[in-house]
């Protein structure tokens, strides 16, 4: 039964930590990445922002993902991202400090307060606070199970012999801490489990400090693994490893070379001493920010830029983000905005050819490349959105996910209409006489301008999470639809290619408004506007 309690305690700590991370993300509203980027103008500010972010998001994997995402976006200097990551790891030690205070007697209070907020409050942020309190209560319950199991098992001669052997083999103890940290992907969880096992009386201060050092090395490897799929992420992980591995080796050598550290006279009891050692270690590691330029040169030499001919430049989505649904939704939103940018460039390439009276020879090839790029991102985003669990999302994030999912379904038709089809139609139009082209040009440029304006408003609506903008988009959609119908009536002699292009813009308008309606259908009057638009469209066919 003790082994079952031991396993249950470990699982509760892991579950609590993961639930806590999601609670903090919900309470923050998913804005942590953008909030952190506001601190990255200088290394000192980046370090401070990282400490605050690590305290708010106490997860090694989550902070690694955030840092890799910042480096991928390319708007923040690499050395400043390193400062954020080291600062975040220092900030995450706050949770270990709290756990070390032995608050098991108050676990019922945390569970009750958290359950009240999580179950009976609809607002996202208070619900996130409740989820965090509930998760911390689960962690305390798990640590209670671990402590009780450790006390019972301490009387077992085999367990006693195991701890005596580990005390004589410090390297094996550190490697065990590295392995456990890699397995659970969290130095906080690894150290919390060790703190709970202190109750058995078999763990000395020296063993506990070695475990803390091993957990920090495991944390470095976790960061390296999290960022391995991206060059800048690999460099970040390697830099953290180059900082912490020598520091851990030096501190372990010092610890083993000197007489055993006295347990009396230190701050608090064994758990508090281990927590402060963890904080001190990460504080010393933060000094590496001063040598960030040298570290950048070193890791750049170890991981040179690969040759990437004809490789799409759109950033890819990291599957690790799916562990945090709110961050995953934000990442999908950022990639969708990149798609909007690429769509705009695709349409502008064709319209620029129309203005100049000829399409460049490279235009068709460039449009094909952008179409392939968008289709590749569309496939990845569709798979990524399918992997986000609906039950972990707030109503706002669920609405955003449904809208992005609908946009991905419409995207292949949108990019084909705006790209290859439009290019072919404009190419055939420009083969007509100058008078016909001059008659069609202002209409097509106006239609393109209206569609670009709609795309910009849709992007702003999704980016700022303002469904009330949907009514404005649907109203403008009706106006554009009526304008297109009237324009075609007034110009019956337009070349057939121009008619096809105008029909293409009308189809684009319909598809875009359908996506908008998914997001704003609960807004007053949205359904009536969408239905009213549907009655106007057949006239244009």
């Amino acid at each position: 039964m003790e082994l079952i309690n031991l396993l249950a305690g470990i699982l509760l700590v892991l579950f609590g930590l993961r639930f806590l991370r999601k609670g903090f993300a919900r309470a923050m509203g998913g804005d942590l990445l953008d909030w952190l980027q506001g601190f990255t103008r200088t290394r000192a500010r980046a370090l401070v922002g990282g400490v605050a972010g690590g305290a708010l998001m106490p997860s090694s994997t989550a902070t690694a993902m955030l840092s890799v995402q910042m480096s991928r976006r390319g708007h923040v200097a690499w050395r400043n991202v390193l400062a954020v990551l080291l600062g975040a790891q220092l900030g995450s030690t706050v949770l270990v400090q709290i756990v070390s205070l032995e608050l098991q007697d108050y676990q019922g209070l945390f569970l009750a307060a958290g359950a009240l907020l999580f179950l009976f409050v609809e607002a996202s942020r208070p619900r996130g606070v409740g989820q965090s309190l509930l998760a911390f209560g689960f962690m305390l319950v798990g640590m209670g199970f671990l402590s009780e199991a450790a006390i019972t098992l301490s009387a077992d001669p085999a367990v006693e012999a195991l701890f005596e052997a580990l005390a004589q083999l410090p390297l094996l103890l550190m490697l065990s801490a590295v392995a456990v940290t890699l397995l659970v992907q969290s130095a906080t969880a690894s150290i919390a489990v060790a703190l709970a096992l202190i109750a058995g009386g078999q763990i000395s201060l020296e063993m506990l400090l070695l475990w803390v050092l091993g957990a920090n090395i495991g944390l470095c490897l976790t960061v390296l693994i999290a960022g391995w799929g991206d060059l800048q992420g690999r460099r970040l992980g390697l830099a953290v490893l180059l900082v912490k591995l020598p520091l851990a080796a030096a501190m372990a050598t010092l610890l083993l070379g000197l007489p055993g550290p006295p347990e009396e006279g230190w701050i608090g009891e064994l758990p508090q001493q281990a927590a402060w050692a963890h904080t001190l270690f990460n504080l010393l590691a933060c000094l590496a920010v001063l040598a960030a330029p040298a570290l950048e040169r070193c890791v750049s030499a170890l991981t040179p830029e690969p040759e990437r001919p004809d490789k799409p430049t759109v950033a890819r989505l990291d599957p690790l983000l799916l562990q945090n649904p709110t961050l995953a939704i934000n990442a999908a939103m950022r990639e969708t905005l990149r798609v909007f940018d690429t769509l705009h460039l695709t349409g502008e390439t064709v319209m620029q050819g129309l203005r100049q009276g000829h399409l460049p020879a490279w235009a068709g090839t460039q449009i094909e490349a952008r179409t392939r790029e968008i289709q590749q991102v569309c496939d990845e985003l569709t798979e990524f959105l399918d992997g986000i669990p609906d039950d972990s999302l707030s109503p706002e994030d669920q609405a955003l996910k449904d809208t992005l999912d609908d946009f991905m379904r419409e995207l292949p038709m949108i990019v084909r209409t705006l790209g290859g089809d439009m290019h072919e139609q404009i190419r055939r139009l420009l083969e007509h006489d100058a008078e016909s082209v001059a008659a069609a040009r202002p209409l097509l440029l106006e239609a393109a301008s209206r569609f670009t304006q709609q795309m910009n408003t849709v992007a702003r609506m999704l980016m700022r999470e303002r469904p009330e903008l949907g009514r404005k988009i649907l109203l403008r959609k009706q106006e554009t639809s009526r304008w297109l119908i009237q324009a075609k009536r007034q110009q019956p002699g337009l070349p057939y290619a121009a008619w096809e292009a105008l029909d293409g813009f009308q189809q684009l308008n319909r598809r875009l408004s359908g996506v908008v309606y998914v997001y704003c259908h609960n807004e007053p009057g949205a359904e009536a506007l969408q239905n009213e638009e549907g009655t106007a469209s057949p006239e244009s066919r």
Side-chain angles (χ1 to χ4, degrees), residues 21 33 59-72 85 223 226-227 318-324 327 334:
R21 184 176 70 235
L33 180 58
S59 165
S60 312
T61 305
T63 54
M65 288 190 299
L66 287 172
S67 301
V68 170
Q69 285 297 306
M70 276 194 288
S71 66
R72 281 179 176 176
L85 180 56
V223 174
D318 195 327
L320 285 172
L321 287 169
L322 294 173
Q323 298 180 19
N324 190 310
L327 290 179
R334 284 191 294 272

Side-chain angles (χ1 to χ4, degrees), residues 155-178:
D156 190 325
V159 174
E160 187 175 351
L162 173 63
F163 279 102
E164 288 179 357
L166 288 175
Q168 299 301 317
L169 298 169
L171 182 59
L172 179 61
L173 181 63
M174 289 183 68
L175 290 176
S176 301
V178 172

Side-chain angles (χ1 to χ4, degrees), residues 336-352 355 366-367 370 374 411 414-415 418 448-449 451-453 455-456:
T336 303
L337 293 177
R338 293 176 190 270
V339 170
F340 273 101
D341 290 342
T342 309
L343 285 173
H344 172 74
L345 291 174
T346 301
E348 184 58 26
T349 298
V350 178
M351 291 302 111
Q352 187 64 27
R355 292 187 192 96
Q366 187 181 78
I367 288 172
R370 284 177 176 154
I374 290 176
L411 188 56
I414 291 175
V415 70
L418 189 63
S449 175
F451 180 68
T452 299
Q453 185 182 30
M455 279 205 306
N456 292 340

Side-chain angles (χ1 to χ4, degrees), residues 317 332 335-336 339 377-385 408:
L317 294 160
E335 294 302 317
T336 303
V339 170
V377 176
C378 177
D379 293 341
E380 184 178 347
L381 271 168
T382 300
E383 182 180 355
F384 185 79
L385 288 167
M408 291 306 117

